[in-house]
Amino acid sequence: MSDYSETARPQEQETSSTPPNDDGSDSLSEETWKVLIVDDDLDVHEATVFSLNRVNILGRGVELLHAHNAQEALHCLKSNANIAVIMLDVVMEEPDTGLRLVGEIRDLGFTEPRIILRTGYSGKAPEDEVIRNYDINDYRTKDELSRTRLITSLTTAIRSYDHIRSLSDTRAGLEMVIESTQRLYSNKNLELFAEGVLTQIAAILRLRCEGAICAVGATADGDRNSMVVMAGLGRFSEKVGAELGEIDDVDLTMVEDVAPDNVTPELRDNKIALRFRTETGRELVIYFEHNGGLPNTDVVLLQVFASNLAICFENLDLINHLGELAFVDQRLGLPNHNAFSRELGWLVSGKSASATVALASIEEAPQLAVAFGLPFAEEVMSAVYDRLRDALGEAVLIARIGEYTLGIVDATGEIAQSVIDSVFDEIFLIRDNRISVSASTGILYLDPTGQIPSDIDRAARSTLLRVMQEHPGTTMLFTPDIAHDVEKTVRIKSALREATKAKQFKFVFQPKINVTTGDVSGAEILCRWAMNGKAVPPSVFIPIAERAGFSADIALQSLAAVSDFWADLKKAGLSRLPVAINLAVPDICNSDFVEALGRQCEESDLSPELISFEITETQAISVDEDASMGVAALKRRGFKLWLDDFGTGYSSLSHLDSLTVDGIKIDKSFISTLTIDKARGSVAATAKAMADNLGLKSIAEGVETREQHQIARLLGIETAQGFYYAKPMAPDAFIEWLKHWDIAAHVGY
């Protein structure tokens, strides 16, 4: 094969290809149309070069490539990108060489180049038959291809090729938009999201871009136009943390003119601006400068990407908002127990050598709730919080860690007992009522270095428990002997050890209901235990079992109970029912336990199609990598996993990011307060929406009323569980209940 320019004779120039640019595109691809001449007659090559010398078609010149047989033609096609037209002789080595080459070219995937057949023997292949049977654009005899006719045929073919390339580029661009959006969805961190946006826009535009992405926030004087750079490309990469308006040569007027609620990009000269605002009022600004013109197709792609970007940002804002909700008490708007536990974690990882941790339980709150109602008692809690905040300062965390208990964490260790006590010296005025309030307070002064957060929490609670039992309404400082007096916990732990060895646990089953059909879609197996003949609540012994390392044995014993349950179902003439088993996060982090769990399921014929696991968390976890490995091991075996008590655990949202679960169980605290008219704006609705965005299923826990059942249906939650359908039951009682279950009779429709 030979490659010829317009000024060189075909037999005088060697084969060559145009070197690509850094971005992989051909250096002449934007300046010329490539036309491949395939003919075994050198005179045809020379005549074509002469005819097309200095010809301009659709604003570009013509670059000729030359091949003398089918083999050279195929090599040329594989070596040169963006060949627009192939002018192909029918008769070369064989009478039908050109026709066979057309089929081979198309079969090899070269579908975009347009083919013009030329022949000196018109009778060898009738025109109508060739046009009908071969993917070509034109079929001419060499005699009739005058210079004018040649340019006309070539112009028609190039116009068709250009249209096909535009469609192909648009399709590729749309695929890039989809892929880019998927990448952005995986970034649940705002900074990573910002960097990803800049990278993806530059890729879509296929231009050298410089730009910045900014968070829009309020300044000290309330100005909403403060734009702080979060990530940057090019000259903006060193401006992270600076105000966009303080950077040289930024068209700030253009940015400010963009309507935040309009996802259409603003284009001015070589600049692009986009602006988004979520329903929570957060804003994101994107500002780009580029080095070339934007084709209309790329503008359309940018608009499509902008629409998807707005959805991504809304989703990210939703996740961040839910993250904030996880650390806020939903009834009072105060920091909650999650925030308290997080603060303890920061306390032990900091450099402070002294700290104060206190717990204060409002003595009169339960009686006030009975006398005046729960809202009144909670107003008292809020008033106590406000007064503590004024007395202790903004640097001290005050959180609601119980129904009527506040937790205090001071990293300086400078809070005096008298300051806390003084908060309750004065009368509180609540709804024009003068209320005298006292508190039982346990205070722990400590050096947090090397401590374990859960031990600090337990010491503070032990102190509070002691003062409430012995001197309610007063303040007590922690002493080492208090920790040794938690006799009940020790007794429970010892008894649990014996119960685990002797397999003294009983197991009950609570049904799960398909909210749409009303069918029983499965059950959850739950552990029950009695010490000295007296039932111990699961909320008491399960956390102790987890801390003592007994929860793994309980989980394995529950597998045997499931096998027995299925055997009872079979005897009753009923099919196996899917069952969910609770697993503690610390146990999932134990690879030996995960292996034993999977092995026992296999040996007991507990198939992954009918067994799932619900991840429960009653204490903080700091080994997400191990947990992820445990979850991955169970997923490889085919088991589905759920995140239990979603929204109330220590780090539920971060687990969604690090653990590949299949669904979430929305905690009953988000269900129990719902009403029909407020359901769509509730945290439960938000959790359901987030589950949908992440491709997860959802279960509503603690459904106890018909209205809550209807709300679950309204929100599109797939499954519900709670006392409204049935309490946890022994296997025989469950089977009897199952035989008579009728959703229509139960719900009344």
Side-chain angles (χ1 to χ4, degrees):
M1 181 200 76
S2 297
D3 182 8
Y4 299 87
S5 69
E6 297 179 0
T7 59
R9 291 178 58 82
Q11 65 270 30
E12 294 174 348
Q13 188 163 333
E14 297 180 356
T15 301
S16 66
S17 60
T18 307
N21 287 330
D22 292 340
D23 62 359
S25 63
D26 195 278
S27 63
L28 292 177
S29 61
E30 295 300 326
E31 301 173 3
T32 63
W33 301 109
K34 289 184 181 179
V35 178
L36 174 61
I37 311 300
V38 186
D39 203 301
D40 59 357
D41 187 343
L42 289 177
D43 291 337
V44 171
H45 287 268
E46 292 184 354
T48 306
V49 170
F50 180 78
S51 298
L52 297 179
N53 185 32
R54 301 186 184 283
V55 168
N56 187 287
I57 297 177
L58 302 180
R60 299 186 197 173
V62 176
E63 176 190 359
L64 297 182
L65 307 174
H66 299 268
H68 302 89
N69 54 52
Q71 184 178 358
E72 289 184 2
L74 291 175
H75 182 71
C76 188
L77 275 168
K78 295 175 182 177
S79 303
N80 293 271
N82 304 325
I83 292 178
V85 180
I86 304 171
M87 303 193 73
L88 177 59
D89 187 17
V90 175
V91 181
M92 290 185 287
E93 300 97 312
E94 301 291 340
D96 63 344
T97 295
L99 296 177
R100 287 188 286 108
L101 183 57
V102 171
E104 192 168 355
I105 288 172
R106 297 311 190 199
D107 289 343
L108 287 174
F110 296 103
T111 59
E112 293 178 351
R114 300 295 85 200
I115 299 176
I116 299 175
L117 283 180
R118 300 194 292 188
T119 181
Y121 307 93
S122 58
K124 291 289 185 179
E127 181 177 351
D128 60 343
E129 181 179 333
V130 171
I131 293 292
R132 182 175 64 251
N133 295 334
Y134 295 89
D135 182 8
I136 64 173
N137 273 67
D138 208 350
Y139 184 37
R140 300 287 182 181
T141 64
K142 295 178 180 179
D143 292 339
E144 68 174 321
L145 270 179
S146 63
R147 183 175 187 273
T148 301
R149 183 64 60 84
L150 174 63
I151 294 173
T152 301
S153 295
L154 200 57
T155 301
T156 302
I158 287 175
R159 182 178 285 113
S160 176
Y161 167 81
D162 190 39
H163 180 65
I164 290 172
R165 282 302 304 271
S166 295
L167 291 176
S168 178
D169 288 345
T170 300
R171 182 179 68 249
L174 288 173
E175 290 173 354
M176 182 180 293
V177 167
I178 293 171
E179 182 181 356
S180 299
T181 304
Q182 291 172 341
R183 286 201 188 106
L184 292 177
Y185 261 114
S186 68
N187 289 334
K188 298 179 176 65
N189 175 280
L190 189 58
E191 286 73 21
L192 290 178
F193 174 83
E195 293 175 7
V197 168
L198 295 178
T199 302
Q200 299 305 331
I201 290 181
I204 289 171
L205 297 182
R206 296 171 293 178
L207 296 170
R208 182 178 60 79
C209 296
E210 297 185 336
I213 186 165
C214 307
V216 181
T219 59
D221 57 2
D223 182 8
R224 287 290 298 175
N225 292 325
S226 176
M227 302 178 192
V228 180
V229 176
M230 292 190 299
L233 284 181
R235 71 185 185 95
F236 294 93
S237 61
E238 298 180 357
K239 302 297 184 180
V240 174
E243 288 279 345
L244 185 64
E246 297 174 354
I247 302 174
D248 295 338
D249 300 325
V250 170
D251 190 346
L252 197 60
T253 302
M254 173 187 178
V255 175
E256 293 173 344
D257 287 345
V258 179
D261 300 321
N262 183 2
V263 297
T264 302
E266 181 76 14
L267 308 174
R268 295 184 189 175
D269 300 326
N270 69 325
K271 299 177 179 64
I272 305 169
L274 301 95
R275 193 163 181 169
F276 308 99
R277 177 188 292 156
T278 68
E279 291 184 0
T280 60
R282 304 188 185 193
E283 290 186 25
L284 204 67
V285 167
I286 302 171
Y287 178 80
F288 254 89
E289 299 170 353
H290 56 85
N291 65 330
L294 287 178
N296 289 335
T297 53
D298 286 351
V299 173
V300 172
L301 290 174
L302 184 59
Q303 289 175 334
V304 174
F305 181 71
S307 297
N308 287 336
L309 179 59
I311 297 172
C312 287
F313 182 48
E314 189 78 42
N315 181 67
L316 178 64
D317 186 60
L318 170 66
I319 292 175
N320 288 336
H321 183 56
L322 281 178
E324 294 169 2
L325 289 178
F327 296 96
V328 175
D329 180 83
Q330 297 306 298
R331 279 151 55 184
L332 299 186
L334 313 180
N336 63 7
H337 189 279
N338 293 339
F340 180 78
S341 298
R342 181 176 61 179
E343 192 76 12
L344 290 181
W346 289 343
L347 185 66
V348 301
S349 62
K351 298 180 179 180
S352 175
S354 61
T356 306
V357 177
L359 302 183
S361 178
I362 311 304
E363 285 294 319
E364 292 78 11
Q367 292 85 356
L368 292 172
V370 173
F372 302 104
L374 180 60
F376 186 90
E378 292 188 331
E379 286 186 44
V380 172
M381 288 289 294
S382 294
V384 172
Y385 172 87
D386 292 339
R387 194 175 287 182
L388 278 169
R389 166 63 59 231
D390 292 339
L392 303 180
E394 295 293 331
V396 176
L397 174 81
I398 306 169
R400 183 181 187 179
I401 66 170
E403 188 70 16
Y404 305 114
T405 303
L406 296 173
I408 300 168
V409 181
D410 167 38
T412 69
E414 297 177 353
I415 296 178
Q417 173 184 339
S418 59
V419 176
I420 298 177
D421 291 342
S422 66
V423 167
F424 302 96
D425 290 342
E426 297 183 14
I427 295 294
F428 288 84
L429 187 63
I430 309 295
R431 298 184 191 177
D432 296 328
N433 294 294
R434 294 171 59 81
I435 304 296
S436 177
V437 175
S438 62
S440 297
T441 306
I443 300 180
L444 177 64
Y445 292 104
L446 75 156
D447 177 355
T449 307
Q451 299 278 5
I452 298 174
S454 58
D455 289 344
I456 297 175
D457 180 83
R458 190 159 53 251
R461 290 181 183 277
S462 298
T463 308
L464 177 62
L465 179 63
R466 169 73 73 84
V467 70
M468 292 177 66
Q469 290 175 341
E470 297 182 1
H471 307 288
T474 65
T475 298
M476 181 179 291
L477 302 183
F478 171 81
T479 57
D481 65 289
I482 292 179
H484 299 294
D485 281 344
V486 190
E487 184 178 345
K488 183 178 180 181
T489 299
V490 174
R491 287 203 306 267
I492 289 177
K493 181 178 178 180
S494 299
L496 276 173
R497 180 180 286 108
E498 296 300 322
T500 302
K501 292 180 180 179
K503 298 183 178 180
Q504 297 173 347
F505 300 108
K506 296 185 182 299
F507 294 94
V508 294
F509 297 81
Q510 186 174 33
K512 297 180 178 180
I513 306 299
N514 183 306
V515 175
T516 302
T517 65
D519 296 332
V520 179
S521 59
E524 179 182 4
I525 184 170
L526 300 167
C527 183
R528 296 293 184 261
W529 177 60
M531 184 174 69
N532 299 326
K534 184 177 181 180
V536 181
S539 60
V540 173
F541 78 83
I542 290 295
I544 297 174
E546 287 186 10
R547 289 195 296 268
F550 304 144
S551 54
D553 286 308
I554 293 175
L556 294 175
Q557 290 181 33
S558 69
L559 294 179
V562 172
S563 294
D564 295 338
F565 176 56
W566 282 353
D568 292 341
L569 285 171
K570 184 176 180 181
K571 290 179 184 178
L574 300 173
S575 301
R576 287 185 173 187
L577 199 64
V579 177
I581 298 170
N582 289 312
L583 294 182
V585 173
D587 295 332
I588 293 179
C589 298
N590 185 335
S591 59
D592 292 336
F593 166 74
V594 172
E595 178 62 28
L597 188 72
R599 187 169 57 250
Q600 183 167 329
C601 285
E602 185 175 342
E603 293 171 355
S604 303
D605 193 25
L606 301 177
S607 65
E609 292 79 14
L610 295 175
I611 292 293
S612 61
F613 297 105
E614 296 180 1
I615 303 172
T616 63
E617 185 180 2
T618 62
Q619 54 184 313
I621 180 71
S622 59
V623 282
D624 282 341
E625 183 177 350
D626 292 338
S628 298
M629 293 176 62
V631 168
L634 292 173
K635 296 283 288 183
R636 284 195 297 271
R637 290 180 176 269
F639 295 103
K640 287 184 168 51
L641 291 101
W642 297 73
L643 196 59
D644 200 7
D645 301 324
F646 181 73
T648 63
Y650 288 86
S651 51
S652 293
L653 286 171
S654 64
H655 285 344
L656 273 188
D657 190 20
S658 60
L659 305 181
T660 53
V661 297
D662 300 280
I664 61 173
K665 296 188 74 175
I666 302 172
D667 187 70
K668 65 177 295 182
S669 63
F670 299 131
I671 301 296
S672 60
T673 59
L674 289 181
T675 58
I676 290 290
D677 57 332
K678 295 182 179 179
R680 293 195 182 277
S682 65
V683 172
T686 304
K688 167 61 178 170
M690 188 181 72
D692 290 343
N693 284 338
L694 297 175
L696 305 178
K697 299 293 186 181
S698 54
I699 296 177
E701 292 187 292
V703 175
E704 298 184 354
T705 66
R706 183 174 184 271
E707 184 180 29
Q708 292 167 10
H709 169 82
Q710 292 172 327
I711 290 171
R713 292 188 64 185
L714 175 68
L715 297 181
I717 296 173
E718 296 85 359
T719 308
Q721 179 181 350
F723 285 4
Y724 178 65
Y725 311 106
K727 294 182 178 181
M729 297 170 282
D732 55 346
F734 186 101
I735 292 172
E736 192 64 24
W737 172 89
L738 184 61
K739 290 178 180 179
H740 299 91
W741 170 251
D742 182 357
I743 186 66
H746 187 76
V747 179
Y749 59 77

